[in-house]
Structure formats: structure tokens, C-alpha cells
Amino acid sequence: MKSKFVQSAFVLAISLASSTTVLAQEVTLRLVSAFAENGIYVQHLLPWIGKVNAEGKGVLQINFIGGPKAVPTFEVGNAVKTGVVDMALNTGAFYTNVMPEADFLKLTQIPVAEQRKNGAFDAINKVWNEKGNMQYLARTVENQPFHIYTNKKVDKPDLTGQKIRITPVYRDFFQALNANVITTPPGEVYTALERGVVDGYGWPIGGIFDFNWHEKTKFRIDPGFYDAEVSLIMNLPAYKKLTDTQRNYLQKQLLALEAENTFWVKYGVDETARQAKAGIQSIAFDAASTKAFKEKAYDIAWTSALKQSPEVAAKFKSLFSK
Ligand code: 173
């Protein structure tokens, strides 16, 4: 009798201990997005979060808090840096207030898979760790060039007399094209167009329908330039606190997420067709001007980068270029 009691108490103690261990090994990471929840970047990410949570029971869970209503777009970088949140879906242009180098990621001309092989990814993380107190986890968007969308027709690459909505992505280039620039988060673009505060805006090839901007857009200037960088970033102390099992699990899922980036090429093609159907006209230049336009975009951005952060820009330029 007594020994049976001792035995079951022992079994109970063991099972309690192991269930505590299981609980202690499951971490829940709070994630916010600098992009709106109804936009393609978040919509593309949500199934992945679902999969991470379904397969990560007892190991790692991601709690999606929300978009810019939870944390304003331009404050998300600092929220990650200071640990207010653990993780974010963000783009470098939105956290140049943390480090100017964040915006350099738009200049990559090789796929993220190659960045992981040629040392670019590690070079990014060295800067992100040291200057941003964050870990650069994965690039979730590729092959989405930026464009100029405008309601004022042009026949050459010149935006004289035009007011264009920007973020740091476009500033130097659009100013070099003589535009008057106004910085706003994406959430303010529709109203700015509606009120005539701007004649146009910069945005990648995909996504303008998510916010109904097509209703207020007449022209898209081709070609596109740079590559929209949208990535998952994480507070560095939170990343370092993960157990090996948790970090390995997260890494496996991040690589699976990047493997799905093939989605974006077709999405770009589909969005281009959808714009044409919606009556948005493409403005194209002759072959020489097109080439010069693209070269100017990169030249201006790298010149600016080299001024802002000479060593990092030089390193990134050699690792990001084709
Ligand atoms: O808001 C923007 O135009 C911008 O900077 C951006 C960056 C990456 C993807 C989409 C938009």
C-alpha cells in the first residue's frame, strides 16, 4: 500500500516536472507588421505563421499582434530594437531611424538564397546585430521592383513640377529627377492622392489594389528599379535567448519561407496585367533612356549609401551586385 502510494507520487512528480519542462521550452514570440494586414506581404506571411504554430507546439509559437494600428509603421524598427516586440515584418526604409544602412537592402541584385552563400547575409547580420540590436531573419519578398506611379504624363524621365509621395527608398533618385518629395507611410497614400497633396507615389509593381490606389492612378513609369525588400527581423536578446531546439526550428521554417519566394515573379506579372485592365497606362522610354534610367537609380543610391556609411556600403556593394 505504502510503496504503491510512493510509486504513484513519484510518477506524478515526474510527470509534473516534465510538463513544466515542456512549458518552459515553448516560447511565444510577439510579431508586428509595419505593413497593413490586408496587404499582400502580410497575407503571404499568415499561412506561414499558421504552419509555424501548428508544427511548433511545445517548441515555438508566433503571436501575430497586428499591423500599423498596433505599432505605427515608422516606429516598428525601434520596437524591435528595444524589445517592445520580439519580431517584425518590415522593410529597411521604415527603420532608417535605427540605422541608415537598413535602406541599403533595396540594392540587392542577387537572390536571398545566394546572399546566404556569398556572405552578404552574414555581413547584413553583423551590422544589424551591432547597430540595430536585431537579427535579420529572412527576406520574405523578392523580385518586386519599385515604380513611379503618377497622374501627370511625362515623355522623358523628368518629374519637374510633380509632387511625389516617397519613403527613403526613393528620395535621392526622385529628387535627382526633379520631383518635390513628401514622405508618408503607406497608410496615408490614398488620402494624399485624393486630396491632391501628391500627384503620384513610389511603390513596387504589386500591391496597389490592396489599398485601392488604382482608383487614383493614371500612369506607371517603366522600367522598375531596385528590389522591394521585405523581411522578418528579430530583437537580438530575444533571439539569443532561444534554446538550440527553438532556434533550429525557427531557422528551418525561415528557410522554408524563403523557398516560397518563387511566388513573387508570377505575382508581379499578374499585377502588371491587372493594372493594365484597370486602365493604368504604362509610360516607357526608348531603350537608351530605359538603360540610363535604371543605371541612374543605382548610381544615385550607392553614392548616397557610400556617403552615409562608407565601410558598410562598400562591403554591401561588392556582395549585393551581380
Ligand atoms: O512604402 C514604400 O513605398 C516602401 O518603402 C516600400 C518598401 C518595400 C515594399 C513596399 C514599399
Side-chain angles (χ1 to χ4, degrees), residues 281-298:
Q281 287 173 258
S282 148
I283 295 175
F285 312 122
D286 61 55
S289 306
T290 299
K291 189 166 173 276
F293 180 81
K294 257 192 133 146
E295 280 172 6
K296 184 172 179 170
Y298 281 96

Side-chain angles (χ1 to χ4, degrees), residues 165 182 184 187-200:
R165 172 271 172 186
I182 301 161
T184 84
E188 287 168 26
V189 173
Y190 189 91
T191 312
L193 286 164
E194 195 174 35
R195 297 191 180 154
V197 172
V198 296
D199 303 304

Side-chain angles (χ1 to χ4, degrees), residues 35 41 91 93-94 146 165 167 169-170 186 202-204 228-230:
F35 291 96
Y41 305 137
T91 184
F94 297 165
F146 294 101
R165 172 271 172 186
T167 67
V169 163
Y170 324 91
W203 193 259
E229 171 268 330
V230 179

Side-chain angles (χ1 to χ4, degrees), residues 227-268:
D227 190 21
E229 171 268 330
V230 179
S231 303
L232 285 171
I233 52 173
M234 185 168 176
N235 174 259
L236 187 59
Y239 183 71
K240 285 189 170 159
K241 233 169 43 197
L242 297 177
T243 65
D244 285 349
T245 307
Q246 290 164 345
R247 195 174 312 106
N248 292 340
Y249 175 70
L250 179 61
Q251 184 64 12
K252 183 185 86 176
Q253 295 291 359
L254 291 168
L255 293 177
L257 178 61
E258 281 184 357
E260 286 168 30
N261 280 351
T262 47
F263 166 85
W264 297 105
V265 171
K266 183 176 182 300
Y267 177 73

Side-chain angles (χ1 to χ4, degrees), residues 20 43 60 64 105 132 185-186 189 243 252 268-269 298 319:
T20 333
Q43 290 304 310
L60 184 143
F64 178 53
L105 301 186
V189 173
T243 65
K252 183 185 86 176
V269 171
Y298 281 96
L319 292 168

